[in-house]
Structures are given as structure tokens and as C-alpha cells.
Coordinates of all heavy atoms in Angstrom, one line a residue:
M1 N 160.8 76.7 139.2 CA 162.2 76.6 139.6 C 163.0 76.1 138.4 O 162.6 75.2 137.7 CB 162.3 75.6 140.7 CG 163.6 75.7 141.4 SD 163.7 74.5 142.8 CE 164.2 73.0 142.0
T2 N 164.1 76.7 138.1 CA 165.0 76.3 137.0 C 165.7 75.0 137.3 O 166.3 74.8 138.4 CB 166.0 77.3 136.7 OG1 165.4 78.6 136.5 CG2 166.9 76.9 135.5
P3 N 165.5 73.9 136.5 CA 166.2 72.7 136.8 C 167.7 72.9 136.6 O 168.2 73.7 135.9 CB 165.7 71.7 135.7 CG 165.2 72.6 134.6 CD 164.8 73.9 135.2
E4 N 168.5 72.0 137.4 CA 169.9 72.1 137.4 C 170.6 71.4 136.3 O 170.1 70.3 135.9 CB 170.5 71.5 138.7 CG 170.1 72.3 140.0 CD 170.7 73.7 139.9 OE1 171.9 73.8 139.6 OE2 169.9 74.6 140.2
P5 N 171.6 71.9 135.7 CA 172.4 71.2 134.7 C 172.9 69.9 135.3 O 173.4 69.9 136.4 CB 173.6 72.1 134.3 CG 173.1 73.5 134.7 CD 172.2 73.3 135.9
L6 N 172.9 68.8 134.5 CA 173.4 67.5 134.9 C 174.9 67.5 134.6 O 175.4 68.1 133.6 CB 172.7 66.3 134.3 CG 171.2 66.2 134.6 CD1 170.6 65.0 133.8 CD2 171.0 66.0 136.0
S7 N 175.7 66.7 135.4 CA 177.1 66.5 135.0 C 177.2 65.6 133.8 O 176.3 64.8 133.5 CB 177.9 65.9 136.2 OG 177.5 64.6 136.4
Q8 N 178.4 65.6 133.2 CA 178.6 64.7 132.1 C 178.4 63.2 132.5 O 177.8 62.5 131.7 CB 180.1 64.9 131.6 CG 180.4 64.2 130.3 CD 179.8 64.9 129.1 OE1 179.4 66.1 129.2 NE2 179.6 64.2 128.0
K9 N 178.8 62.9 133.7 CA 178.6 61.5 134.2 C 177.2 61.2 134.4 O 176.7 60.1 134.0 CB 179.4 61.3 135.5 CG 179.1 60.1 136.3 CD 180.2 59.1 136.3 CE 180.0 57.9 137.2 NZ 178.9 57.1 136.9
E10 N 176.4 62.1 134.9 CA 175.0 61.9 135.1 C 174.3 61.7 133.8 O 173.4 60.8 133.6 CB 174.4 63.1 135.9 CG 174.6 63.1 137.4 CD 174.2 64.4 138.0 OE1 174.4 65.5 137.4 OE2 173.6 64.3 139.1
I11 N 174.7 62.5 132.8 CA 174.1 62.4 131.5 C 174.4 61.1 130.9 O 173.4 60.4 130.4 CB 174.6 63.5 130.6 CG1 174.1 64.9 131.1 CG2 174.1 63.3 129.1 CD1 174.9 66.1 130.4
E12 N 175.6 60.6 130.9 CA 176.0 59.3 130.4 C 175.3 58.2 131.1 O 174.8 57.3 130.4 CB 177.5 59.1 130.5 CG 178.3 60.0 129.4 CD 179.8 60.0 129.7 OE1 180.3 59.3 130.5 OE2 180.4 60.9 129.1
D13 N 175.2 58.2 132.4 CA 174.5 57.2 133.2 C 173.1 57.1 132.8 O 172.5 56.0 132.6 CB 174.7 57.4 134.7 CG 176.1 57.2 135.2 OD1 176.9 56.6 134.4 OD2 176.3 57.5 136.4
R14 N 172.4 58.2 132.7 CA 171.0 58.2 132.4 C 170.7 57.9 130.9 O 169.7 57.2 130.6 CB 170.4 59.5 132.8 CG 170.4 59.6 134.4 CD 169.7 60.7 134.9 NE 168.3 60.7 134.6 CZ 167.4 61.6 135.1 NH1 167.9 62.6 135.9 NH2 166.1 61.6 134.7
L15 N 171.6 58.3 130.0 CA 171.4 57.9 128.6 C 171.6 56.4 128.4 O 171.0 55.8 127.5 CB 172.4 58.6 127.7 CG 172.1 60.1 127.4 CD1 173.2 60.7 126.6 CD2 170.7 60.2 126.7
A16 N 172.4 55.7 129.3 CA 172.6 54.3 129.2 C 171.3 53.5 129.4 O 171.2 52.4 129.0 CB 173.7 53.9 130.2
E17 N 170.4 54.2 130.1 CA 169.0 53.5 130.4 C 168.1 53.8 129.2 O 166.9 53.4 129.3 CB 168.4 54.1 131.6 CG 169.4 54.3 132.8 CD 169.2 53.2 133.8 OE1 168.2 53.2 134.5 OE2 170.1 52.4 133.9
L18 N 168.5 54.6 128.2 CA 167.6 55.0 127.1 C 168.3 54.7 125.8 O 168.8 55.5 125.1 CB 167.4 56.5 127.2 CG 166.6 57.1 128.4 CD1 166.7 58.6 128.5 CD2 165.1 56.6 128.3
P19 N 168.2 53.4 125.4 CA 168.8 52.9 124.2 C 168.3 53.8 123.0 O 167.1 54.0 122.9 CB 168.4 51.5 124.1 CG 168.1 51.0 125.4 CD 167.6 52.3 126.1
G20 N 169.2 54.1 122.1 CA 168.8 54.9 120.9 C 169.0 56.4 121.1 O 169.1 57.2 120.2
W21 N 169.0 56.9 122.4 CA 169.3 58.3 122.7 C 170.8 58.5 122.9 O 171.5 57.7 123.4 CB 168.5 58.7 124.0 CG 167.1 58.8 123.8 CD1 166.1 57.9 123.8 CD2 166.4 60.1 123.5 NE1 164.9 58.4 123.6 CE2 165.0 59.7 123.4 CE3 166.8 61.4 123.3 CZ2 164.0 60.7 123.1 CZ3 165.8 62.3 123.0 CH2 164.4 62.0 122.9
S22 N 171.2 59.7 122.4 CA 172.6 60.0 122.5 C 172.8 61.5 122.7 O 171.9 62.3 122.4 CB 173.4 59.5 121.3 OG 173.0 60.1 120.2
L23 N 174.0 61.8 123.1 CA 174.3 63.2 123.3 C 175.0 63.7 122.0 O 175.9 63.1 121.5 CB 175.3 63.4 124.4 CG 175.7 64.8 124.8 CD1 174.5 65.6 125.3 CD2 176.8 64.8 125.9
D24 N 174.4 64.8 121.4 CA 174.9 65.3 120.1 C 175.1 66.8 120.3 O 174.2 67.6 120.3 CB 173.9 65.0 119.0 CG 174.4 65.5 117.6 OD1 175.6 65.9 117.6 OD2 173.6 65.5 116.7
G25 N 176.4 67.2 120.6 CA 176.7 68.6 120.9 C 176.1 68.9 122.2 O 176.3 68.2 123.2
D26 N 175.2 69.9 122.3 CA 174.6 70.3 123.6 C 173.2 69.8 123.7 O 172.5 70.3 124.6 CB 174.6 71.8 123.7 CG 173.8 72.5 122.6 OD1 173.3 71.9 121.7 OD2 173.6 73.7 122.7
K27 N 172.8 68.8 122.9 CA 171.4 68.3 123.1 C 171.4 66.7 123.1 O 172.4 66.1 122.7 CB 170.6 68.7 121.8 CG 170.4 70.2 121.8 CD 169.4 70.6 120.7 CE 169.2 72.1 120.9 NZ 168.3 72.7 119.9
I28 N 170.4 66.2 123.7 CA 170.2 64.7 123.6 C 169.2 64.5 122.4 O 168.3 65.3 122.2 CB 169.7 64.0 124.9 CG1 168.4 64.6 125.4 CG2 170.8 64.1 125.9 CD1 167.7 63.7 126.5
T29 N 169.4 63.5 121.6 CA 168.7 63.3 120.4 C 168.3 61.8 120.2 O 169.0 60.9 120.8 CB 169.5 63.7 119.2 OG1 170.5 62.7 119.0 CG2 170.1 65.0 119.3
R30 N 167.2 61.6 119.5 CA 166.9 60.2 119.0 C 166.0 60.4 117.8 O 165.2 61.3 117.7 CB 166.2 59.4 120.0 CG 165.7 58.1 119.4 CD 165.4 57.0 120.3 NE 165.2 55.9 119.3 CZ 164.8 54.6 119.6 NH1 164.6 54.3 120.9 NH2 164.7 53.7 118.7
S31 N 166.3 59.5 116.8 CA 165.4 59.4 115.6 C 164.6 58.1 115.7 O 165.2 57.1 116.1 CB 166.2 59.4 114.3 OG 166.7 60.7 114.1
Y32 N 163.4 58.2 115.3 CA 162.5 57.0 115.2 C 162.1 56.8 113.7 O 161.9 57.8 113.0 CB 161.2 57.2 116.0 CG 161.5 57.3 117.5 CD1 161.5 58.5 118.1 CD2 161.6 56.1 118.3 CE1 161.7 58.6 119.5 CE2 161.8 56.2 119.7 CZ 161.8 57.5 120.3 OH 162.0 57.6 121.6
R33 N 161.9 55.5 113.4 CA 161.4 55.2 112.1 C 160.0 54.5 112.3 O 159.9 53.7 113.2 CB 162.3 54.2 111.3 CG 161.9 53.9 109.9 CD 163.0 53.2 109.1 NE 164.1 54.2 108.8 CZ 164.1 55.0 107.8 NH1 163.1 55.0 106.9 NH2 165.1 55.9 107.6
L34 N 159.0 54.9 111.5 CA 157.7 54.3 111.7 C 157.2 53.7 110.4 O 157.8 53.7 109.4 CB 156.7 55.5 112.1 CG 157.1 56.0 113.5 CD1 157.8 57.3 113.4 CD2 155.9 56.0 114.4
G35 N 156.0 53.0 110.5 CA 155.5 52.3 109.4 C 154.8 53.1 108.3 O 154.6 52.5 107.2
S36 N 154.5 54.3 108.6 CA 153.8 55.1 107.6 C 153.9 56.6 108.0 O 154.3 56.9 109.1 CB 152.3 54.8 107.5 OG 151.7 55.2 108.7
H37 N 153.6 57.5 107.1 CA 153.6 58.9 107.4 C 152.6 59.2 108.6 O 152.9 60.0 109.5 CB 153.2 59.7 106.2 CG 153.3 61.2 106.4 ND1 154.5 61.8 107.0 CD2 152.5 62.2 106.3 CE1 154.3 63.1 107.1 NE2 153.1 63.4 106.7
F38 N 151.4 58.6 108.5 CA 150.4 58.9 109.5 C 150.8 58.4 110.9 O 150.5 59.0 111.9 CB 149.0 58.3 109.1 CG 148.1 59.4 108.6 CD1 148.4 60.1 107.5 CD2 146.9 59.7 109.3 CE1 147.5 61.2 107.0 CE2 146.0 60.7 108.9 CZ 146.4 61.4 107.7
A39 N 151.5 57.2 110.9 CA 152.0 56.7 112.2 C 153.0 57.7 112.7 O 153.0 58.0 114.0 CB 152.6 55.4 112.0
A40 N 153.8 58.3 111.9 CA 154.8 59.3 112.3 C 154.1 60.5 112.9 O 154.5 61.1 114.0 CB 155.7 59.7 111.2
V41 N 153.0 61.0 112.2 CA 152.3 62.2 112.7 C 151.6 61.8 114.0 O 151.6 62.7 114.9 CB 151.2 62.6 111.6 CG1 150.3 63.6 112.2 CG2 151.9 63.1 110.4
G42 N 151.1 60.6 114.2 CA 150.5 60.2 115.4 C 151.5 60.3 116.6 O 151.1 60.7 117.7
L43 N 152.7 59.8 116.3 CA 153.7 59.9 117.4 C 154.0 61.3 117.7 O 154.1 61.7 118.9 CB 155.0 59.2 116.9 CG 156.2 59.2 117.9 CD1 155.8 58.6 119.2 CD2 157.4 58.6 117.3
V44 N 154.1 62.2 116.7 CA 154.3 63.6 117.0 C 153.2 64.2 117.9 O 153.5 65.0 118.8 CB 154.5 64.4 115.7 CG1 154.5 65.9 115.9 CG2 155.8 64.0 115.0
V45 N 152.0 63.9 117.6 CA 150.9 64.4 118.4 C 151.0 63.9 119.8 O 150.8 64.7 120.8 CB 149.5 64.0 117.8 CG1 148.4 64.3 118.7 CG2 149.3 64.7 116.4
H46 N 151.4 62.7 120.0 CA 151.5 62.1 121.4 C 152.7 62.8 122.1 O 152.5 63.2 123.3 CB 151.7 60.6 121.3 CG 151.4 59.8 122.5 ND1 151.1 58.5 122.5 CD2 151.3 60.3 123.8 CE1 150.9 58.1 123.8 NE2 151.0 59.2 124.6
I47 N 153.7 63.1 121.4 CA 154.9 63.8 122.0 C 154.4 65.2 122.4 O 154.8 65.7 123.4 CB 156.1 63.8 121.0 CG1 156.7 62.4 120.8 CG2 157.2 64.8 121.5 CD1 157.7 62.3 119.7
A48 N 153.7 65.9 121.5 CA 153.3 67.2 121.8 C 152.4 67.3 123.0 O 152.6 68.2 123.9 CB 152.5 67.8 120.6
Q49 N 151.6 66.3 123.2 CA 150.7 66.2 124.4 C 151.6 66.1 125.7 O 151.4 66.8 126.7 CB 149.8 65.0 124.3 CG 148.8 64.9 125.4 CD 148.0 63.6 125.2 OE1 148.4 62.7 124.6 NE2 146.8 63.7 125.8
T50 N 152.6 65.2 125.6 CA 153.5 65.0 126.7 C 154.3 66.2 127.0 O 154.6 66.6 128.2 CB 154.4 63.8 126.4 OG1 153.6 62.7 126.2 CG2 155.4 63.5 127.5
Q51 N 154.8 66.9 125.9 CA 155.6 68.1 126.1 C 154.8 69.2 126.8 O 155.3 69.9 127.7 CB 156.0 68.6 124.8 CG 157.0 67.7 124.1 CD 157.7 68.2 122.9 OE1 158.8 67.9 122.6 NE2 156.9 68.9 122.1
D52 N 153.5 69.4 126.5 CA 152.7 70.4 127.2 C 152.5 70.0 128.7 O 152.4 70.8 129.5 CB 151.4 70.6 126.4 CG 151.5 71.7 125.4 OD1 152.7 72.2 125.2 OD2 150.5 72.1 124.8
E53 N 152.3 68.7 128.9 CA 152.2 68.2 130.3 C 153.4 68.6 131.1 O 153.3 69.0 132.3 CB 151.9 66.7 130.4 CG 150.5 66.3 130.0 CD 150.3 64.8 129.8 OE1 151.2 64.0 130.2 OE2 149.3 64.4 129.2
L54 N 154.6 68.3 130.5 CA 155.8 68.6 131.2 C 156.2 70.1 131.1 O 157.2 70.5 131.8 CB 157.0 67.8 130.6 CG 157.1 66.3 130.9 CD1 158.2 65.7 130.1 CD2 157.3 66.1 132.4
D55 N 155.6 70.8 130.3 CA 156.0 72.2 130.0 C 157.5 72.2 129.5 O 158.3 73.0 130.0 CB 155.8 73.2 131.1 CG 156.0 74.6 130.7 OD1 155.8 74.9 129.5 OD2 156.2 75.5 131.5
H56 N 157.8 71.2 128.7 CA 159.2 71.1 128.2 C 159.1 70.6 126.8 O 158.4 69.6 126.5 CB 159.9 70.1 129.1 CG 161.4 70.3 129.0 ND1 162.1 71.4 129.3 CD2 162.4 69.4 128.5 CE1 163.4 71.3 129.1 NE2 163.5 70.1 128.6
H57 N 159.8 71.2 125.8 CA 159.5 71.0 124.4 C 160.8 70.8 123.6 O 161.8 71.6 123.7 CB 158.8 72.3 123.8 CG 157.5 72.6 124.6 ND1 157.5 73.2 125.8 CD2 156.3 72.2 124.3 CE1 156.2 73.3 126.2 NE2 155.5 72.7 125.3
A58 N 160.8 69.7 122.9 CA 162.0 69.3 122.0 C 161.8 70.0 120.7 O 160.7 70.4 120.3 CB 162.0 67.8 121.9
D59 N 162.9 70.1 119.9 CA 162.8 70.3 118.5 C 162.4 69.0 117.9 O 163.0 68.0 118.1 CB 164.2 70.8 117.9 CG 164.6 72.1 118.5 OD1 163.7 72.9 118.9 OD2 165.8 72.4 118.5
I60 N 161.4 69.0 117.0 CA 160.9 67.8 116.4 C 160.9 68.0 114.9 O 160.4 69.0 114.4 CB 159.4 67.5 116.8 CG1 159.2 67.5 118.3 CG2 158.9 66.2 116.1 CD1 157.8 67.3 118.7
A61 N 161.6 67.0 114.2 CA 161.6 67.0 112.7 C 160.8 65.8 112.3 O 161.1 64.7 112.5 CB 163.0 66.9 112.2
L62 N 159.7 66.1 111.5 CA 158.9 65.1 111.0 C 159.3 64.9 109.5 O 159.3 65.8 108.7 CB 157.4 65.6 111.0 CG 156.4 64.7 110.3 CD1 156.2 63.4 110.9 CD2 155.0 65.5 110.3
G63 N 159.6 63.6 109.2 CA 159.9 63.2 107.8 C 158.8 62.4 107.3 O 157.7 62.3 107.9
Y64 N 159.0 61.7 106.2 CA 157.9 60.9 105.6 C 157.4 59.8 106.6 O 156.3 59.8 106.9 CB 158.4 60.3 104.3 CG 157.6 59.1 103.8 CD1 156.2 59.3 103.6 CD2 158.1 57.8 103.7 CE1 155.4 58.2 103.3 CE2 157.3 56.8 103.3 CZ 156.0 56.9 103.1 OH 155.2 55.9 102.7
N65 N 158.4 59.1 107.1 CA 158.0 58.1 108.1 C 159.1 58.1 109.2 O 159.4 57.0 109.8 CB 157.9 56.7 107.5 CG 159.1 56.2 106.9 OD1 160.1 56.9 106.8 ND2 159.1 54.9 106.4
T66 N 159.6 59.2 109.5 CA 160.6 59.4 110.6 C 160.2 60.6 111.5 O 159.5 61.5 111.0 CB 162.0 59.7 110.0 OG1 161.9 60.8 109.2 CG2 162.5 58.5 109.2
V67 N 160.6 60.4 112.7 CA 160.5 61.5 113.7 C 161.8 61.7 114.4 O 162.3 60.7 115.0 CB 159.4 61.2 114.7 CG1 159.3 62.3 115.8 CG2 158.0 61.1 114.0
A68 N 162.4 62.8 114.4 CA 163.7 63.1 115.1 C 163.5 64.1 116.1 O 162.9 65.2 115.9 CB 164.7 63.5 114.1
L69 N 164.0 63.8 117.3 CA 163.8 64.7 118.5 C 165.2 65.2 118.9 O 166.2 64.4 118.9 CB 163.2 64.0 119.7 CG 161.8 63.4 119.5 CD1 161.4 62.7 120.8 CD2 160.9 64.5 119.2
S70 N 165.3 66.4 119.3 CA 166.5 66.9 120.0 C 166.1 67.9 121.0 O 165.2 68.7 120.8 CB 167.6 67.5 119.1 OG 167.1 68.6 118.4
V71 N 166.7 67.8 122.2 CA 166.2 68.7 123.3 C 167.3 69.0 124.3 O 168.2 68.2 124.6 CB 165.0 68.0 124.0 CG1 165.4 66.7 124.7 CG2 164.4 69.0 125.0
N72 N 167.3 70.2 124.8 CA 168.1 70.7 126.0 C 167.2 71.7 126.7 O 166.0 71.8 126.3 CB 169.4 71.2 125.6 CG 169.4 72.5 124.8 OD1 168.4 73.1 124.7 ND2 170.5 72.8 124.2
T73 N 167.7 72.3 127.7 CA 166.8 73.1 128.6 C 167.3 74.6 128.4 O 168.3 75.0 128.9 CB 166.9 72.7 130.0 OG1 166.5 71.3 130.1 CG2 166.0 73.6 130.9
H74 N 166.5 75.4 127.7 CA 166.8 76.8 127.4 C 167.0 77.5 128.7 O 167.9 78.3 128.8 CB 165.7 77.5 126.6 CG 165.1 76.7 125.5 ND1 163.8 76.7 125.1 CD2 165.7 75.8 124.6 CE1 163.6 75.8 124.1 NE2 164.8 75.3 123.8
S75 N 166.1 77.3 129.6 CA 166.1 78.1 130.9 C 167.3 77.7 131.8 O 167.6 78.4 132.7 CB 164.8 77.9 131.7 OG 164.7 76.5 132.0
A76 N 168.0 76.7 131.4 CA 169.3 76.3 132.1 C 170.5 76.6 131.2 O 171.5 76.0 131.3 CB 169.3 74.9 132.6
G77 N 170.3 77.6 130.3 CA 171.4 78.0 129.5 C 171.7 77.0 128.4 O 172.8 77.0 127.9
G78 N 170.8 76.2 128.0 CA 171.0 75.2 127.0 C 171.7 74.0 127.5 O 172.3 73.2 126.7
S79 N 171.7 73.8 128.8 CA 172.3 72.5 129.4 C 171.3 71.4 129.3 O 170.1 71.6 129.1 CB 172.6 72.8 130.9 OG 173.4 73.9 131.1
I80 N 171.8 70.2 129.6 CA 171.0 69.0 129.7 C 170.6 68.9 131.2 O 171.4 69.0 132.1 CB 171.7 67.7 129.3 CG1 172.3 67.8 127.9 CG2 170.8 66.5 129.4 CD1 171.3 68.0 126.8
T81 N 169.3 68.8 131.4 CA 168.8 68.7 132.8 C 167.9 67.4 132.9 O 167.6 66.8 131.9 CB 167.9 69.9 133.2 OG1 166.7 69.9 132.4 CG2 168.7 71.2 132.9
G82 N 167.4 67.2 134.1 CA 166.5 66.1 134.3 C 165.3 66.2 133.5 O 164.7 65.1 133.2
L83 N 164.8 67.4 133.2 CA 163.6 67.5 132.3 C 163.8 66.9 130.9 O 162.9 66.3 130.4 CB 163.3 69.0 132.2 CG 162.4 69.6 133.3 CD1 162.2 71.1 132.9 CD2 161.0 68.9 133.3
D84 N 165.0 67.1 130.4 CA 165.3 66.5 129.1 C 165.2 65.0 129.1 O 164.6 64.3 128.2 CB 166.7 66.9 128.6 CG 166.8 68.5 128.5 OD1 165.9 69.1 127.9 OD2 167.7 69.0 129.1
L85 N 165.8 64.4 130.2 CA 165.8 63.0 130.3 C 164.4 62.4 130.6 O 164.1 61.3 130.2 CB 166.8 62.5 131.4 CG 168.3 62.4 131.1 CD1 168.5 61.5 129.9 CD2 168.9 63.8 130.8
E86 N 163.6 63.2 131.4 CA 162.3 62.8 131.7 C 161.4 62.8 130.4 O 160.6 61.9 130.2 CB 161.7 63.7 132.7 CG 160.2 63.4 133.1 CD 160.0 62.0 133.7 OE1 160.9 61.3 134.0 OE2 158.8 61.7 133.7
L87 N 161.6 63.8 129.6 CA 160.9 63.8 128.3 C 161.2 62.6 127.5 O 160.4 61.9 126.9 CB 161.1 65.1 127.5 CG 160.5 65.2 126.1 CD1 159.0 65.1 126.2 CD2 160.9 66.5 125.5
A88 N 162.6 62.3 127.4 CA 163.0 61.2 126.6 C 162.4 59.9 127.2 O 162.0 59.0 126.4 CB 164.6 61.1 126.6
R89 N 162.4 59.7 128.5 CA 161.9 58.5 129.1 C 160.4 58.3 128.8 O 160.0 57.2 128.5 CB 162.1 58.6 130.7 CG 161.9 57.4 131.4 CD 161.9 57.6 132.9 NE 160.8 58.4 133.4 CZ 159.5 58.0 133.4 NH1 159.2 56.7 133.1 NH2 158.5 58.8 133.8
R90 N 159.7 59.4 128.9 CA 158.2 59.3 128.6 C 158.0 58.9 127.2 O 157.1 58.1 126.9 CB 157.5 60.6 129.0 CG 157.5 60.8 130.4 CD 156.3 61.7 130.8 NE 156.5 62.3 132.1 CZ 155.6 63.0 132.7 NH1 154.4 63.3 132.1 NH2 155.8 63.5 133.9
V91 N 158.7 59.5 126.2 CA 158.5 59.2 124.8 C 158.9 57.7 124.6 O 158.2 57.0 123.8 CB 159.4 60.1 123.9 CG1 159.3 59.7 122.5 CG2 158.9 61.6 124.0
E92 N 159.9 57.2 125.2 CA 160.3 55.8 125.1 C 159.2 54.9 125.5 O 159.0 53.9 125.0 CB 161.5 55.5 125.9 CG 162.8 56.0 125.3 CD 163.1 55.3 123.9 OE1 163.2 54.1 123.8 OE2 163.2 56.1 122.9
E93 N 158.4 55.4 126.6 CA 157.3 54.5 127.1 C 156.2 54.3 126.1 O 155.6 53.2 126.1 CB 156.7 55.2 128.3 CG 157.4 55.0 129.6 CD 156.7 55.7 130.8 OE1 155.8 56.4 130.6 OE2 157.2 55.4 131.9
F94 N 156.0 55.2 125.2 CA 154.9 55.0 124.3 C 155.3 54.9 122.8 O 154.4 54.6 121.9 CB 153.8 56.1 124.4 CG 154.2 57.6 124.3 CD1 154.6 58.0 123.0 CD2 154.3 58.4 125.3 CE1 154.9 59.4 122.8 CE2 154.7 59.8 125.2 CZ 155.0 60.2 123.9
A95 N 156.5 55.2 122.5 CA 156.9 55.2 121.1 C 156.7 53.8 120.4 O 156.2 53.7 119.3 CB 158.4 55.6 120.9
A96 N 157.1 52.7 121.1 CA 156.9 51.4 120.5 C 155.4 51.1 120.2 O 155.1 50.4 119.2 CB 157.5 50.3 121.4
G97 N 154.5 51.6 121.0 CA 153.1 51.5 120.8 C 152.6 52.1 119.5 O 151.5 51.8 119.0
H98 N 153.4 53.0 118.9 CA 153.1 53.7 117.6 C 153.8 52.9 116.5 O 153.8 53.4 115.4 CB 153.5 55.1 117.6 CG 152.7 56.0 118.5 ND1 151.6 56.8 118.1 CD2 152.7 56.2 119.9 CE1 151.1 57.4 119.1 NE2 151.7 57.1 120.2
G99 N 154.5 51.8 116.9 CA 155.3 51.1 115.9 C 156.6 51.7 115.6 O 157.3 51.3 114.6
A100 N 157.1 52.6 116.4 CA 158.4 53.3 116.2 C 159.5 52.4 116.6 O 159.4 51.6 117.6 CB 158.4 54.6 117.0
H101 N 160.6 52.4 115.9 CA 161.8 51.7 116.2 C 163.0 52.5 115.8 O 162.9 53.5 115.0 CB 161.8 50.3 115.7 CG 161.7 50.3 114.2 ND1 160.5 50.3 113.5 CD2 162.7 50.3 113.2 CE1 160.7 50.2 112.2 NE2 162.0 50.3 112.0
Ligands
H2B1 C1 157.4 79.5 129.7 C2 157.7 78.1 129.6 O1 157.5 77.4 130.8 C3 159.1 77.9 129.2 O2 159.4 78.7 128.1 C4 159.5 76.4 129.0 C5 158.8 75.8 127.8 N1 159.5 74.7 127.1 C6 160.8 74.6 127.3 N2 161.4 73.7 126.6 C7 162.7 73.5 126.7 N3 163.3 72.6 125.9 N4 163.5 74.3 127.5 C8 162.9 75.3 128.2 O3 163.7 76.0 129.0 C9 161.5 75.4 128.2 N5 160.9 76.3 128.9

């Protein structure tokens, strides 16, 4: 089932619960800084595992010690849906454990 686009108000309300995440154009985004390159790669692997579990995939940019995510829902015409917020919520749950801030 295709998830429904969220209203602007719903997006803002749910982003308020996810410090560091923001709306940038048609995607929600967040950048993390980590203690080393390997720590950044470890976070990417954990995100990849979560993405396959959700069958929902962000654009991920890996830097030296940074990881930047941006995501919307292609199947909803590039809108923000609950799946985008759920991916962000799950990444927030484990990012700090990788030393990300
Ligand atoms: C076939 C597969 O379920 C779809 O292509 C999934 C995979 N990952 C996805 N990721 C994102 N961000 N949006 C989608 O619509 C999407 N669709």
C-alpha cells in the first residue's frame, strides 16, 4: 500500500520530535558527525540494515567522518510520508550509540 503524503503541519509536528532533522525542499534531512571514518561507515551499515527492514531508502552521503541523510517517498510522488519519519526516528534511536552527534 502506498503511504499517504503528510500535511505541512503533520511534517512540522513530527520533525519537532526529531531534533537535528529538518525539511529541505521536498526531503527531510539530517547530517551527523562521528569520531572517525570507520565510525561513520558503521553508522551507514546500521542505516542500510534498517532501510532494508523498512523497505525504505534514504540518499546517504558518506564523508570522512560525516553521514548525511535525505529522504522522501518516491512511490508517493516524492512527498514526505510516515515512512520517512519512521526511518528518521529509527536512525535517531541508534545514531548516538555510534558516537554520532
Ligand atoms: C520496490 C520497493 O519496495 C520500492 O522501490 C521502495 C524501496 N525504497 C524506497 N525508498 C524511498 N525513499 N521511497 C520509495 O518509494 C521506496 N520504494
Side-chain angles (χ1 to χ4, degrees):
M1 198 179 81
T2 303
E4 292 300 311
L6 298 178
S7 70
Q8 190 74 20
K9 166 111 173 62
E10 284 171 318
I11 295 167
E12 285 167 12
D13 287 352
R14 294 189 58 180
L15 284 176
E17 318 256 294
L18 294 167
W21 285 85
S22 61
L23 187 62
D24 182 10
D26 63 349
K27 295 188 172 176
I28 60 167
T29 70
R30 173 158 190 184
S31 288
Y32 295 98
R33 184 166 293 276
L34 293 105
S36 70
H37 185 54
F38 256 62
V41 171
L43 177 61
V44 168
V45 170
H46 202 158
I47 293 168
Q49 182 180 29
T50 300
Q51 293 186 145
D52 270 4
E53 282 168 16
L54 284 176
D55 192 22
H56 200 63
H57 302 81
D59 294 336
I60 306 177
L62 172 65
Y64 162 57
N65 61 356
T66 58
V67 175
L69 299 178
S70 62
V71 64
N72 63 16
T73 303
H74 316 143
S75 59
S79 304
I80 306 299
T81 71
L83 274 178
D84 302 309
L85 278 303
E86 177 61 11
L87 176 59
R89 193 190 65 75
R90 291 207 196 181
V91 172
E92 284 298 302
E93 278 181 353
F94 58 71
H98 291 264
H101 59 272

